[in-house]
Amino acid sequence: VSEPADRGTRGVFVTGTGTEVGKTVVAAAIARTVANEGRSVAVFKPAVTGLDDFAADGPISADEARFSARRPDHHVLREAAGSAQRDEEVAPYRYGPPMSPHLAAALAGETIDPERLRDAARLAADGADFLVCEGVGGFLAPLSASPRYLVRDLAADLGLPLVVAASPGLGTINHTLLTIEAARAAGLDVAVVVLTPWPDDPGRIEESNRETIEALGEVRVETLPWLALDRPGSWPALPLPQLD
Ligand SMILES: Nc1ncnc2c1ncn2[C@@H]1O[C@H](COP(=O)(O)OP(=O)(O)OP(=O)(O)O)[C@@H](O)[C@H]1O
Ligand SMILES: [Mg+2]
């Protein structure tokens, strides 16, 4: 794992082929893996939107009590890492409406400030041995549209190797290769692609997707099985190239 230019902290930046593809699950699994090795882990997410979806009171069904149904990303990440960071230290910008951060910020009369993000991420990194940063949406999602500051720009500024979360099924080769190409075009290192959730009994398509992404993307591909998301203690370690 490479190091941010001016710090000794190691870490990864978890991006994905889009929204709802498993970035939080992969980031949480990595955070847990590193924490279980006895290292302190900090987590970071530049912006969280859709908090309105979590605000509802009342009885929670068994289904809703699972992982993400009632818990925003920054809480899931923090728990997996065993971190004591405060909400604003994990996610400096938090909005209610479920939409792109640049739009949610605009509706709140704000713009997302790249410098504030960089400072907050470095502060989080300084407090731990390892930083797990989760992006927002896909790799070219805007944190700010004007001035233009994409998830990719933050990843470049932090200088962390990328982990790309992707679905195992149909359509994933194109999305994953596009993401890898966008990363390399900016000079970023793609450490690994993680296909999630990997089925217990993968079929021809899944196995082929794994091999094809590995070959055409010239990248390492790992898989993450279906996790009991409400029981982090039961998760298997997710091997990362640099952590082997
Ligand atoms: N390995 C897995 N085990 C269990 N559930 C999974 C796994 N991978 C993905 N999922 C499911 O897929 C859904 C999306 O995952 P996740 O929330 O991690 O996506 P995301 O890319 O972080 O989304 P967002 O763009 O909102 O941040 C979740 O509901 C999660 O339950
Ligand atoms: Mg997420």
Side-chain angles (χ1 to χ4, degrees), residues 32-125:
R32 194 78 190 180
T33 299
V34 176
N36 281 342
E37 292 168 355
R39 292 194 272 170
S40 65
V41 180
V43 289
F44 188 74
K45 169 120 184 168
V48 174
T49 64
L51 291 175
D52 287 347
D53 294 345
F54 300 100
D57 287 327
I60 298 176
S61 71
D63 217 32
E64 285 174 324
R66 286 165 41 89
F67 192 60
S68 57
R70 287 288 180 102
R71 299 168 62 216
D73 284 1
H74 56 301
H75 291 182
V76 174
L77 295 171
R78 181 169 60 202
E79 184 189 328
S83 159
Q85 294 166 274
R86 289 177 290 128
D87 281 358
E88 56 269 34
E89 293 171 326
V90 176
Y93 293 94
R94 301 176 308 284
Y95 299 106
M99 54 182 65
S100 173
H102 80 286
L103 182 56
L107 293 184
E110 301 178 0
T111 52
I112 290 178
D113 176 11
E115 193 159 342
R116 185 173 158 198
L117 292 180
R118 289 189 290 262
D119 287 348
R122 287 178 185 140
L123 198 67

Side-chain angles (χ1 to χ4, degrees), residues 139 151-153 155-157 159-162 180 182-190:
F139 198 47
V151 168
R152 177 168 71 179
D153 297 316
D157 284 344
L160 296 170
L162 296 177
I180 292 170
R184 291 182 180 154
L188 300 180
D189 172 38
V190 181

Side-chain angles (χ1 to χ4, degrees), residues 20 22-25 45 73 134-135:
E20 284 288 306
K23 293 183 300 293
T24 302
V25 177
K45 169 120 184 168
D73 284 1
E134 178 190 348

Side-chain angles (χ1 to χ4, degrees), residues 1-14 30-31 33-35 37 39-44 121-133 158-163 191 240-244:
V1 174
S2 64
E3 299 176 354
D6 51 341
R7 308 286 174 194
T9 302
R10 290 147 56 104
V12 290
F13 191 103
V14 180
I30 292 170
T33 299
V34 176
E37 292 168 355
R39 292 194 272 170
S40 65
V41 180
V43 289
F44 188 74
R122 287 178 185 140
L123 198 67
D126 280 348
D129 300 326
F130 195 91
L131 179 69
V132 177
C133 181
L158 298 184
L160 296 170
L162 296 177
V163 174
L240 291 180
Q242 295 83 357
L243 301 178
D244 282 352

